[in-house]
Amino acid sequence: IYPSACRGADFFQAESSTGRLSIREDMSIGIGRHRLQAGLSLARAQVDTRSQFFGDGMFVYGADGATVPDFALVNVQGLASGEASTELGVFVEDRWSISDGLTLTLGLRYDVETNGSNQDYVSDLAGSLPFVPTQERPADVNNVAPRFGFSWTPVMDRPLVVRGGAGVYYGTSSLWYGGLEVQGNLNAFIPAPGVSRVEDLPVDPATIAVDSRNVMGEEWEAVRTVQGSMGLDWGPAPGWTVTVEGVASSSANLPIQRQVNGNGFNRLYPGYGNFFQLLSAGSARSRLVTLGVRRQAGTSFVDAHYTLSKSEATNDLWFQSIT
């Protein structure tokens, strides 16, 4: 109905810088058939982010041949935030050689962040919109990760090794998420010169609110992945190695984004523009099998692998909004 064109700079512009300072200490000691290990890591991360929508203006023409745009959208306040967090990780592990052909590995790791979920922040919109948390988020402190592995040589004089393991792994939260909800983007809606009836424009200005916000869910948890593997290495002849391995993994608490204020002309809460809710509610899983053949000849080798895999996720990019 309205042939149109838009002219202006990029719709969204952003830049982010991360500073990180970390220290780590690992220790190990052998006691009989046991190799005991322990470690401690401490890191301080700082993320500074700036972004804006319509930074240089977006000018919208509602009809072909028009020399003056019907209206413009110009950013008057972008997002500028600085978030910091301290990350602590500790682990213990026992590598136990039960016999010459069997080794077990048992481990336990714990990770925690002081500001992984922007937990000290309560939005100024708390109480005015139903999806905005009204109190500080609890810290995610239950990140206990056990590990198990084994390596078994059934017959010592045969070139065959069976190996496998399973474990839980936690990732750190991106401080950029917390920075998104600290400050909203403010956009100006500017009708064309001489327009006296904005209701005659091909867009309802009431649906283009000046205030666009982001908010994290009431709870936020670090990404957790459970992974298991099983494989074998076989040497059918001198210089040849055949490897078969299967890996399965499942991840939870992946970040996803929901648009909770409708789109365009269907704003659920007038006075606000795009309002995104970030949730640690996504999931993913992957299964793969790999077959490899390696030929070693002196200092040279040829290595060929084939992998068959299938992966599924709630969404590939967290900023692809869902409803």
Side-chain angles (χ1 to χ4, degrees):
I1 300 176
Y2 293 100
S4 63
C6 297
R7 183 178 68 191
D10 291 340
F11 168 71
F12 178 68
Q13 300 169 338
E15 62 180 21
S16 179
S17 62
T18 301
R20 188 177 184 86
L21 176 66
S22 62
I23 58 175
R24 175 175 174 173
E25 176 67 21
D26 295 327
M27 300 165 287
S28 65
I29 184 173
I31 303 176
R33 287 184 171 270
H34 295 267
R35 170 62 64 177
L36 303 177
Q37 292 184 292
L40 170 70
S41 61
L42 185 66
R44 180 68 174 175
Q46 172 78 37
V47 175
D48 297 299
T49 303
R50 291 186 296 174
S51 65
Q52 59 181 348
F53 290 88
F54 318 121
D56 294 325
M58 184 177 75
F59 307 91
V60 180
Y61 299 80
D64 290 338
T67 58
V68 177
D70 287 338
F71 64 90
L73 295 172
V74 180
N75 186 265
V76 294
Q77 175 184 284
L79 169 67
S81 68
E83 301 295 320
S85 181
T86 300
E87 304 163 3
L88 172 66
V90 294
F91 79 90
V92 292
E93 182 178 276
D94 180 15
R95 184 179 177 87
W96 180 19
S97 298
I98 297 177
S99 65
D100 292 341
L102 178 61
T103 299
L104 296 182
T105 302
L106 301 173
L108 188 67
R109 182 179 177 89
Y110 177 72
D111 292 281
V112 67
E113 296 178 85
T114 61
N115 190 26
S117 60
N118 203 27
Q119 57 249 30
D120 294 329
Y121 176 78
V122 177
S123 173
D124 61 324
L125 299 177
S128 59
L129 295 170
F131 43 77
V132 178
T134 57
Q135 57 186 0
E136 296 180 356
R137 297 178 190 86
D140 183 9
V141 297
N142 61 347
N143 302 331
V144 178
R147 316 280 172 86
F148 166 77
F150 75 92
S151 177
W152 178 43
T153 303
V155 182
M156 293 304 298
D157 59 351
R158 298 288 180 87
L160 176 65
V161 178
V162 181
R163 49 187 168 75
V168 179
Y169 305 86
Y170 286 93
T172 56
S173 298
S174 173
L175 296 177
W176 192 53
Y177 302 155
L180 288 173
E181 69 173 353
V182 173
Q183 177 183 326
N185 281 281
L186 301 181
N187 301 314
F189 176 86
I190 305 175
V195 173
S196 58
R197 290 175 52 85
V198 294
E199 59 269 22
D200 292 337
L201 295 176
V203 63
D204 182 359
T207 67
I208 306 177
V210 297
D211 198 352
S212 296
R213 295 291 191 103
N214 299 269
V215 63
M216 297 172 69
E218 293 185 0
E219 296 184 357
W220 187 273
E221 297 186 72
V223 175
R224 182 185 74 251
T225 299
V226 180
Q227 179 172 298
S229 65
M230 181 73 72
L232 62 85
D233 300 314
W234 173 46
W240 289 88
T241 302
V242 177
T243 298
V244 179
E245 185 169 27
V247 179
S249 66
S250 178
S251 297
N253 306 331
L254 294 172
I256 60 175
Q257 178 175 276
R258 299 172 62 238
Q259 167 62 278
V260 290
N261 195 27
N263 293 285
F265 293 94
N266 299 312
R267 296 299 187 194
L268 302 178
Y269 301 93
Y272 298 96
N274 292 325
F275 210 113
F276 300 107
Q277 185 182 48
L278 305 179
L279 303 172
S280 56
S283 61
R285 63 178 182 175
S286 178
R287 307 289 185 269
L288 66 87
V289 177
T290 297
L291 172 64
V293 178
R294 179 186 178 96
R295 169 59 174 164
Q296 183 80 40
T299 58
S300 302
F301 67 89
V302 176
D303 200 346
H305 285 79
Y306 175 78
T307 299
L308 177 66
S309 65
K310 180 180 180 180
S311 299
E312 299 173 303
T314 50
N315 55 310
D316 293 329
L317 300 172
W318 70 266
F319 51 82
Q320 290 181 339
S321 299
I322 63 173
T323 56

